[in-house]
Amino acid sequence: MKDFLTKPFLYLKNKQFLSLYSLKYLSQLTPHYFNPKSTGVYMLHFYIKGKGTYKIDQNIVEVGAGSALFTSVGTNMMFHTSKDCEGFALIFSEAFFGRSRMKSFFLKHTLLFNSVEQAVFFPTQDRTEELLMLFQLVIDQLRRGQSEIQEQILVNYVFSILLISEEVFTKERPTLRVANEIKLIKNFKYLFNKELNRRQSVKFFCNQMNVSLSTLDRAFRKYENSSAKKWINTRLIEEIEIELKRLDMSIGEIAFKFGFSEVTNFTKFYKGQTGITPKQFRSE
């Protein structure tokens, strides 16, 4: 299997970036060459044959043939593959994939990249051949000449890969054994995403789940190295900046969308979290 590298129009971090490598080749690169924490990329590893051994933070996991592994921005990971390994590593940036509101929303909410676990991995079951075909289509498209149409086709192929993977993962999840604290954090994130535009307090979600604030924060400190409040603020900033980048809504409209009754309060919140105003963010 050949190695398929980036096309010239694809870049790293906050730029349009898409790359497809063989897993064996990528595992031989220096450990930090594609560190998602520094490059700001999402990664999908798809195994056709053989297996890979991963060190993700301090955890060791093995991923075998007919399985997929997903890691999000900020995941520290090293891995090596068996000699008989065949498979793909799909690497892309948010700027490449999240061009529409629908795809950006999907990327920020899918459990493939937003699980409490540092990485999500599972057998692809009866969808393996279908996923393999889509990877081949990505390869074929990367070989073609550069164009705006080509980029859109690639985005749609990647989206199809992620949608199929999410469907398989959703079916697989009930069989996974997860600690109660992890379940609590997942439930909190699920409820928050449903109420995203209403600016509910952490206490509101605690009441919904019938747990104390201290119990929730203890779980967050253990698995997220953060507090629930800090996580909420970070998520809000992410969603706000998605809208600020699009330029099709005024700052006042964005403020109202996220539950701020006054633009001044919205500006104060945003500057308190980022150090700059929403207007300054747009002018950068």
Side-chain angles (χ1 to χ4, degrees):
M1 182 172 55
K2 296 181 179 179
D3 303 312
F4 300 92
L5 309 182
T6 62
K7 289 292 183 181
F9 65 89
L10 303 170
Y11 301 96
L12 282 173
K13 198 169 187 178
N14 297 326
K15 304 289 185 180
Q16 293 185 42
F17 177 83
L18 171 70
S19 181
L20 185 62
Y21 286 86
S22 74
L23 281 169
K24 182 173 287 188
Y25 176 81
L26 190 65
S27 71
Q28 295 169 355
L29 296 179
T30 55
H32 300 292
Y33 189 81
F34 271 111
N35 183 341
K37 197 165 190 176
S38 60
T39 56
V41 294
Y42 296 83
M43 302 180 71
L44 160 57
H45 290 188
F46 177 66
Y47 281 80
I48 303 168
K49 184 181 178 182
K51 66 178 181 180
T53 302
Y54 291 76
K55 182 179 181 183
I56 303 170
D57 289 336
Q58 299 303 313
N59 300 315
I60 305 296
V61 299
E62 283 194 353
V63 181
S67 295
L69 177 140
F70 298 79
T71 55
S72 185
V73 174
T75 304
N76 291 314
M77 179 185 72
M78 296 173 60
F79 77 103
H80 66 270
T81 60
S82 60
K83 291 182 179 179
D84 63 340
C85 172
E86 291 184 15
F88 301 105
L90 183 66
I91 307 165
F92 62 93
S93 66
E94 180 182 350
F96 164 77
F97 183 80
R99 304 182 191 189
S100 68
R101 280 208 180 104
M102 178 184 68
K103 290 184 176 66
S104 180
F105 183 87
F106 175 87
L107 193 61
K108 292 295 185 182
H109 293 82
T110 175
L111 287 176
L112 298 174
F113 295 120
N114 297 282
S115 174
V116 173
E117 293 91 348
Q118 292 94 338
V120 166
F121 58 97
F122 52 88
T124 50
Q125 301 177 1
D126 60 341
R127 310 300 291 273
T128 301
E129 290 299 321
E130 191 176 355
L131 288 169
L132 181 57
M133 180 188 70
L134 284 165
F135 276 103
Q136 187 60 55
L137 288 171
V138 172
I139 291 169
D140 294 342
Q141 197 63 39
L142 282 170
R143 287 172 170 162
R144 299 180 186 274
Q146 173 186 341
S147 70
E148 180 66 27
I149 293 176
Q150 182 206 31
E151 295 179 35
Q152 290 299 328
I153 291 171
L154 283 167
V155 169
N156 289 332
Y157 284 157
V158 173
F159 194 25
S160 295
I161 290 170
L162 297 181
L163 286 172
I164 291 170
S165 299
E166 182 173 61
E167 184 180 28
V168 174
F169 179 55
T170 301
K171 292 178 180 177
E172 180 77 8
R173 281 183 67 213
T175 65
L176 301 178
R177 300 183 64 183
V178 182
N180 288 336
E181 288 175 317
I182 294 178
K183 288 182 180 178
L184 176 61
I185 294 173
K186 284 185 175 181
N187 288 338
F188 171 80
K189 289 183 175 182
Y190 172 76
L191 290 173
F192 173 81
N193 287 328
K194 284 181 64 177
E195 300 284 340
L196 181 63
N197 297 339
R198 300 186 184 181
R199 294 192 65 226
Q200 303 287 11
S201 67
V202 177
K203 185 64 175 176
F204 170 85
F205 297 111
C206 287
N207 291 338
Q208 292 286 304
M209 297 184 295
N210 195 29
V211 297
S212 68
L213 178 57
S214 60
T215 298
L216 180 63
D217 267 336
R218 191 183 310 116
F220 261 88
R221 284 193 298 271
K222 181 176 179 180
Y223 290 101
E224 299 275 318
N225 195 29
S226 176
S227 67
K229 179 64 175 176
K230 185 176 179 180
W231 183 88
I232 281 181
N233 289 343
T234 300
R235 279 288 294 117
L236 274 175
I237 293 298
E238 288 175 352
E239 295 295 329
I240 288 167
E241 290 184 346
I242 287 171
E243 299 300 335
L244 288 171
K245 289 176 184 177
R246 298 194 189 286
L247 303 179
D248 58 351
M249 295 176 67
S250 69
I251 290 175
E253 288 172 328
I254 295 172
F256 181 75
K257 176 178 179 178
F258 289 100
F260 292 87
S261 58
E262 299 289 340
V263 176
T264 52
N265 292 335
F266 172 71
T267 300
K268 183 178 178 180
F269 167 77
Y270 184 84
K271 187 173 183 179
Q273 297 296 315
T274 66
I276 61 175
T277 66
K279 185 176 181 180
Q280 288 171 325
F281 177 85
R282 273 191 164 172
S283 65
E284 287 184 344

